[in-house]
C-alpha cells in the first residue's frame, strides 16, 4: 500500500501542469490576426484619406489656377481689343480725311443752283442756257452733267430741289461763282436763284453751323463776314477776327457788336 501511494505520488509529481506562459502565447496567437486586420484597416483608411485630401487639394489648386488664368486671359483679351480699337481709330481718321479730300477735289467744278422750279428741265442744255441768260454771257458754257439733288421730290408748296451741275472748265466755274457772289440773289422770270459751290456733306454741315451767326450779322452796319472753311471771318471796326467755332463767334457778337448796338439805341 505504501508502495502504491509512493508510485501515485511520483506520477502526480511527474505529470506537467499547464504553465501561465503557455496560455499567454495562445492569447497572442489569437490576437495577432486581429491586430493585423486593424493595422491593414488603418493603413487603408490613411491611404483613402490621403487620396481624398490630394484630390480635394488638387481640385482647389486647379480651380484657383483656372480662375487666375481666366482672369488674366480676359484682361489680356481686353488689352488686345483696346489696342486694336485704338490702332483702327488711328488708321480710320487719316482714311476719312483722304476720302474727304478726294470727294472735295472731285466737286471742284460743281455748282449748286437753288431756286429752279421742278417744272423746268435740269438737262445740261437747259442749265447751260439758264446760266448764260442769268449772267448775260456771250459764250455757251460746256457742262459735263447736271441733275437734281438726290432728295425726295418736293410737294407742290415746298421748295424745289437744287440742281447740281458740273462745268467742264474750271475757269467757267470760278467765273460763275464770282458773278453769283456779286449779284447774290438773282431774280429772273419769277424765279429767285442762288448759286453756290457744291460742298461735301462734312463741309456743308460745318458751314451750316454758322447760319445763326450770319443771320445776326446780316444788315449790321460796319460789319462784314465770310466763311473761310472751317472758320468764320468777321470784320468789325476795320479789324478782322477769325473764329474756329460758332460759339466763339456768338461770344464775340454778344460782347462787342450786340452790346454796342444796344448802347447806340439807348
Amino acid at each position: 500500500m505504501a508502495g502504491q501511494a509512493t508510485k501515485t505520488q511520483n506520477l502526480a509529481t511527474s505529470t506537467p501542469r499547464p504553465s501561465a506562459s503557455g496560455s499567454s502565447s495562445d492569447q497572442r496567437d489569437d490576437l495577432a490576426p486581429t491586430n493585423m486586420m486593424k493595422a491593414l484597416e488603418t493603413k487603408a483608411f490613411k491611404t483613402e484619406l490621403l487620396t481624398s485630401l490630394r484630390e480635394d487639394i488638387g481640385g482647389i489648386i486647379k480651380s484657383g489656377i483656372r480662375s487666375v488664368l481666366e482672369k488674366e486671359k480676359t484682361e489680356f483679351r481686353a488689352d488686345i481689343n483696346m489696342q486694336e480699337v485704338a490702332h483702327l481709330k488711328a488708321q480710320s481718321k487719316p482714311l476719312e480725311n483722304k476720302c474727304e479730300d478726294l470727294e472735295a477735289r472731285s466737286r471742284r467744278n460743281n455748282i449748286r443752283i437753288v431756286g429752279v422750279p421742278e417744272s423746268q428741265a435740269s438737262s445740261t442744255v437747259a442749265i447751260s442756257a439758264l446760266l448764260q441768260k442769268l449772267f448775260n454771257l456771250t459764250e455757251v458754257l460746256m457742262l459735263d452733267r447736271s441733275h437734281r439733288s438726290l432728295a425726295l421730290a418736293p410737294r407742290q408748296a415746298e421748295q424745289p430741289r437744287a440742281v447740281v451741275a458740273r462745268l467742264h472748265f474750271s475757269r467757267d466755274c470760278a467765273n460763275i461763282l464770282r458773278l453769283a457772289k456779286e449779284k447774290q440773289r438773282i431774280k429772273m422770270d419769277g424765279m429767285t436763284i442762288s448759286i453756290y459751290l457744291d460742298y461735301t456733306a462734312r463741309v456743308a454741315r460745318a458751314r451750316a453751323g454758322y447760319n445763326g451767326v450770319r443771320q445776326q450779322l446780316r444788315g449790321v452796319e460796319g460789319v462784314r463776314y465770310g466763311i473761310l472753311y472751317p472758320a468764320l471771318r468777321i470784320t468789325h471796326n476795320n479789324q478782322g477776327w477769325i473764329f474756329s467755332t460758332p460759339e466763339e463767334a456768338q461770344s464775340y457778337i454778344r460782347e462787342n457788336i450786340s452790346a454796342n448796338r444796344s448802347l447806340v439805341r439807348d
Side-chain angles (χ1 to χ4, degrees), residues 218-234:
R218 189 172 293 129
V220 179
E221 186 177 355
V223 176
R224 291 181 298 158
Y225 59 90
I227 294 179
L228 302 175
Y229 178 78
L232 175 72
R233 179 183 176 87
I234 298 176

Side-chain angles (χ1 to χ4, degrees), residues 6-17:
T6 303
K7 187 176 181 179
T8 303
Q9 185 178 1
N10 291 336
L11 288 173
T13 304
S14 62
T15 302
R17 294 182 179 179

Side-chain angles (χ1 to χ4, degrees), residues 84-125:
E84 288 181 354
V85 169
H87 179 65
L88 292 175
K89 283 184 177 180
Q91 284 187 329
S92 65
K93 193 63 178 178
L95 291 175
E96 289 179 3
N97 294 334
K98 286 183 180 180
C99 291
E100 178 71 18
D101 182 66
L102 289 172
E103 185 181 357
R105 290 176 184 273
S106 69
R107 292 171 178 247
R108 281 189 173 180
N109 286 358
N110 290 8
I111 58 174
R112 186 173 287 260
I113 307 170
V114 180
V116 180
E118 290 283 335
S119 58
Q120 187 165 333
S122 58
S123 63
T124 55
V125 176

Side-chain angles (χ1 to χ4, degrees), residues 178-213:
R178 179 183 60 81
L179 294 173
K181 186 176 181 181
E182 291 175 357
K183 292 189 175 183
Q184 297 293 324
R185 295 175 178 270
I186 308 166
K187 294 186 179 181
M188 187 189 72
D189 298 336
M191 299 182 295
T192 302
I193 297 176
S194 301
I195 300 176
Y196 310 97
L197 188 63
D198 184 32
Y199 298 104
T200 63
R202 181 193 291 185
V203 176
R205 285 194 299 268
R207 291 174 64 90
Y210 292 102
N211 287 344
V213 177

Side-chain angles (χ1 to χ4, degrees), residues 2-261:
Q4 290 180 352
T6 303
K7 187 176 181 179
T8 303
Q9 185 178 1
N10 291 336
L11 288 173
T13 304
S14 62
T15 302
R17 294 182 179 179
S19 62
S21 60
S23 70
S24 62
S25 176
D26 294 339
Q27 291 176 357
R28 281 199 300 271
D29 292 340
D30 295 336
L31 292 174
T34 305
N35 293 335
M36 187 177 296
M37 290 296 295
K38 288 182 178 180
L40 291 174
E41 291 177 357
T42 303
K43 186 176 181 180
F45 176 73
K46 288 181 178 180
T47 303
E48 184 180 356
L49 182 61
L50 289 173
T51 302
S52 177
L53 288 174
R54 287 194 189 99
E55 291 177 354
D56 293 342
I57 294 173
I60 294 172
I61 294 173
K62 287 180 181 179
S63 177
I65 293 174
R66 188 179 294 109
S67 62
V68 171
L69 290 176
E70 287 292 336
K71 184 178 179 181
E72 293 290 336
K73 186 178 179 181
T74 303
E75 293 178 355
F76 182 69
R77 283 181 176 175
D79 293 339
I80 291 178
N81 291 336
M82 291 300 294
Q83 292 175 2
E84 288 181 354
V85 169
H87 179 65
L88 292 175
K89 283 184 177 180
Q91 284 187 329
S92 65
K93 193 63 178 178
L95 291 175
E96 289 179 3
N97 294 334
K98 286 183 180 180
C99 291
E100 178 71 18
D101 182 66
L102 289 172
E103 185 181 357
R105 290 176 184 273
S106 69
R107 292 171 178 247
R108 281 189 173 180
N109 286 358
N110 290 8
I111 58 174
R112 186 173 287 260
I113 307 170
V114 180
V116 180
E118 290 283 335
S119 58
Q120 187 165 333
S122 58
S123 63
T124 55
V125 176
I127 297 302
S128 178
L130 175 65
L131 292 174
Q132 188 176 5
K133 187 176 181 180
L134 284 174
F135 301 110
N136 298 321
L137 301 176
T138 57
E139 296 181 358
V140 177
L141 296 175
M142 183 182 296
L143 271 63
D144 294 336
R145 61 180 178 272
S146 64
H147 57 82
R148 295 280 178 179
S149 61
L150 302 179
L152 295 176
R155 298 176 182 176
Q156 188 173 2
E158 295 178 344
Q159 186 176 1
R161 293 171 294 175
V163 175
V164 180
R166 179 177 179 82
L167 286 89
H168 185 75
F169 297 106
S170 59
R171 65 176 182 271
D172 290 340
C173 182
N175 187 38
I176 292 296
L177 291 173
R178 179 183 60 81
L179 294 173
K181 186 176 181 181
E182 291 175 357
K183 292 189 175 183
Q184 297 293 324
R185 295 175 178 270
I186 308 166
K187 294 186 179 181
M188 187 189 72
D189 298 336
M191 299 182 295
T192 302
I193 297 176
S194 301
I195 300 176
Y196 310 97
L197 188 63
D198 184 32
Y199 298 104
T200 63
R202 181 193 291 185
V203 176
R205 285 194 299 268
R207 291 174 64 90
Y210 292 102
N211 287 344
V213 177
R214 296 162 69 185
Q215 288 177 359
Q216 286 181 321
L217 297 177
R218 189 172 293 129
V220 179
E221 186 177 355
V223 176
R224 291 181 298 158
Y225 59 90
I227 294 179
L228 302 175
Y229 178 78
L232 175 72
R233 179 183 176 87
I234 298 176
T235 302
H236 180 225
N237 294 333
N238 296 324
Q239 291 185 345
W241 305 88
I242 295 178
F243 305 96
S244 57
T245 62
E247 290 75 17
E248 293 178 0
Q250 288 281 6
S251 178
Y252 175 81
I253 293 171
R254 189 167 49 251
E255 295 175 2
N256 296 276
I257 299 176
S258 299
N260 293 338
R261 293 181 67 185

